[in-house]
Amino acid sequence: MFAFFQNSLGFISNYQLYNKDYSQTISTKSYSFSLSYLNSNFLKGDFNAGLIYTYIVPGVYAYNGVINETRVDFYILYLKSFFNRFNVSLNLRQSFISTYNNRFTPALGVDYKLIKKENQTLNIKFSISSSYKIPTFNDRYWYPNG
């Protein structure tokens, strides 16, 4: 049984020179920070909550103007076991993106161990969720067809 905070800080820099032509460079700088809280005995289950902050600055010859993007993700995950055979998980996630509108994405999962023997296990699983795909920077900004 434990509870603790965890964080991380990151920087990623990518640079690509296409066909040795300096007028067609592609680069990206990403700065990120994450903070999460984990508790293995929250309401007699596993609880994880956190946020992820990312700031992206692409430098692409085919993008018009100066482009940057801020992303903030919040999430909550709860996993509860019953009778050593039945597990339920709930995941709630909301992302905020400065240049794109997206939606709330919940997920619910159920797992039941129908047969639990020394060498055999048969699980029945069910899950339902919502998802989306954020269009890439090229989808949104590549000139003239983005």
Side-chain angles (χ1 to χ4, degrees), residues 2 16 18 28 39 49 60-61 79 84 91-94 100 104 114 139 144:
F2 61 87
Q16 179 182 359
Y18 181 72
T28 305
N39 188 331
V60 178
Y61 72 93
L79 175 64
N84 228 6
N91 187 358
L92 308 173
R93 181 183 279 286
Q94 178 65 60
Y100 185 76
F104 174 65
L114 191 61
D139 291 338

Side-chain angles (χ1 to χ4, degrees), residues 46-64:
D46 293 329
F47 178 78
N48 184 352
L51 72 90
I52 302 167
Y53 171 85
T54 308
Y55 181 70
I56 305 167
V57 181
V60 178
Y61 72 93
Y63 294 174
N64 278 336

Side-chain angles (χ1 to χ4, degrees), residues 53-143:
Y53 171 85
T54 308
Y55 181 70
I56 305 167
V57 181
V60 178
Y61 72 93
Y63 294 174
N64 278 336
V66 177
I67 308 292
N68 60 51
E69 183 170 272
T70 301
R71 298 180 181 187
V72 180
D73 294 292
F74 296 98
Y75 63 89
I76 294 174
L77 172 65
Y78 183 70
L79 175 64
K80 175 81 172 164
S81 295
F82 301 93
F83 312 114
N84 228 6
R85 287 184 172 262
F86 185 65
N87 298 319
V88 177
S89 65
L90 176 65
N91 187 358
L92 308 173
R93 181 183 279 286
Q94 178 65 60
S95 297
F96 299 96
I97 301 172
S98 61
T99 58
Y100 185 76
N101 291 328
N102 55 339
R103 61 180 182 231
F104 174 65
T105 53
L108 176 66
V110 176
D111 180 347
Y112 181 73
K113 289 182 177 73
L114 191 61
I115 298 173
K116 184 179 177 184
K117 295 182 180 178
E118 186 175 316
N119 295 330
Q120 295 177 334
T121 303
L122 177 62
N123 289 355
I124 297 174
K125 295 184 178 188
F126 170 81
S127 66
I128 186 168
S129 65
S130 174
S131 66
Y132 61 89
K133 179 187 177 298
I134 300 169
T136 66
F137 280 104
N138 287 352
D139 291 338
R140 292 180 279 163
Y141 303 116
W142 194 275
Y143 181 79

